[in-house]
Amino acid sequence: MAAPLTSMTFADGNILASRRVPVTTIIINRTEVRNALDVKTARGLAGAFQLADADEEIRAVVVTGAGGAFCTGADLQELAATGAFFPWAGNDDGLLAAPLSKPVIAAIEGSASAEGLGVALFCDIRIVDDSASFSAASRQWGCPIGDGATVRLPRLVGQGRALDMLITGRVVGADEALAMGLASRKVARGTTRAEAEKLAHQVAGLPQAALLADRCSAYESFTLDGAAAIAREVQRARATFGPEAQAGIRRASQRATGGIRLLRA
């Protein structure tokens, strides 16, 4: 029997959350501006992230946009009126400062541009359809990037490809994004949310201690030199090699032994 579905809203309905243990799906819901985020909505998205991250029953998070667009960045009308810089990747109230403690999967249809690119890069896995596109669109109007993209994009696709996007602001379509490693998987049009939620449930069903330790080690490796990063990986592995891992090894060993017996028969 499926877990009950719980719906939540943030920022006066601009952010929706659908919680079905062990997965929460967060939807950016400002379709009239192609899911651009004003400050209120950005804070709402941060609040939805924080709530899902603190929820001990939730093991994976999906992020998507309503109405055929992922997120087109900051709300330019608000930005023009206020002239205020919002710290998307800041350490105080920014929503993209540090990875969540659990996997985050983006379901991307339509544009992920400007700070929307930053939201996509904040996620661990990006599932796209053929309508998806990525760009550092703020290059066109002279805004500097403060959403983490100048740090995360080079780590993901390499310095050369990242600089091509960051300097020119050009649009990268789904197939090119897949080829360069910016997109993780491509699925049939209109199925990104369903496929992302399916994958999130699969991830949530895996043994968690080792998964979370390895994910954390991958992120920590960027802040350490090679030897220190490997030492930290080994430290985490030793700490995590407990009952869950040992039980999994026994199950895998039994399956392997059964397979050998079948081959011999």
Side-chain angles (χ1 to χ4, degrees):
M1 183 176 178
L5 181 67
T6 302
S7 297
M8 296 165 282
T9 63
F10 302 80
D12 297 327
N14 290 342
I15 299 293
L16 309 175
S18 173
R19 178 185 184 273
R20 175 165 277 159
V21 174
V23 173
T24 288
T25 298
I26 298 170
I27 306 105
I28 305 170
N29 186 42
R30 294 190 79 213
T31 57
E32 71 280 4
V33 288
R34 298 175 65 216
N35 297 325
L37 303 186
D38 56 15
V39 171
K40 178 178 73 173
T41 307
R43 294 188 194 281
L45 181 55
F49 278 145
Q50 292 163 6
L51 189 63
D53 204 37
D55 190 333
E56 294 182 357
E57 291 188 296
I58 295 302
R59 291 185 168 188
V61 178
V62 171
V63 183
T64 193
F70 182 69
C71 175
T72 53
D75 187 314
L76 294 181
Q77 290 188 343
E78 180 185 68
L79 195 57
T82 66
F85 175 76
F86 180 72
W88 288 63
N91 293 324
D92 42 10
D93 56 353
L95 68 154
L96 304 178
L100 300 190
S101 66
K102 56 196 67 174
V104 183
I105 301 171
I108 300 172
E109 297 175 9
S111 179
S113 59
E115 284 81 1
L117 173 64
V119 176
L121 293 170
F122 177 75
C123 301
D124 302 296
I125 296 170
R126 284 153 294 281
I127 296 179
V128 303
D129 70 7
D130 62 7
S131 72
S133 65
F134 302 84
S135 68
S138 55
R139 182 60 56 242
Q140 305 301 325
W141 49 86
C143 283
I145 294 170
D147 56 34
T150 65
V151 176
R152 293 179 174 128
L153 186 61
R155 292 175 178 178
L156 188 64
V157 305
Q159 185 82 332
R161 290 189 177 99
L163 287 173
D164 182 23
M165 291 182 65
L166 295 170
I167 289 171
T168 68
R170 73 181 184 88
V171 176
V172 171
D175 288 333
E176 185 181 1
L178 190 65
M180 70 167 62
L182 176 51
S184 309
R185 309 182 184 196
K186 184 182 174 186
V187 299
R189 179 171 285 217
T191 68
T192 60
R193 176 176 173 181
E195 292 294 334
E197 289 176 337
K198 178 181 177 182
L199 179 60
H201 279 279
Q202 291 172 354
V203 167
L206 295 171
Q208 292 293 295
L211 182 156
L212 295 176
D214 291 347
R215 175 180 178 270
C216 189
S217 178
Y219 278 117
E220 283 184 333
S221 69
F222 289 111
T223 64
L224 302 169
D225 64 33
I230 290 173
R232 182 67 62 85
E233 177 192 74
V234 172
Q235 180 185 40
R236 286 187 175 278
R238 290 185 187 279
T240 309
F241 191 74
E244 184 180 59
Q246 292 161 11
I249 290 168
R250 286 194 295 271
R251 289 193 301 272
S253 176
Q254 290 166 1
R255 288 196 297 271
T257 302
I260 291 171
R261 288 173 180 166
L262 286 172
L263 287 171
R264 287 175 177 171

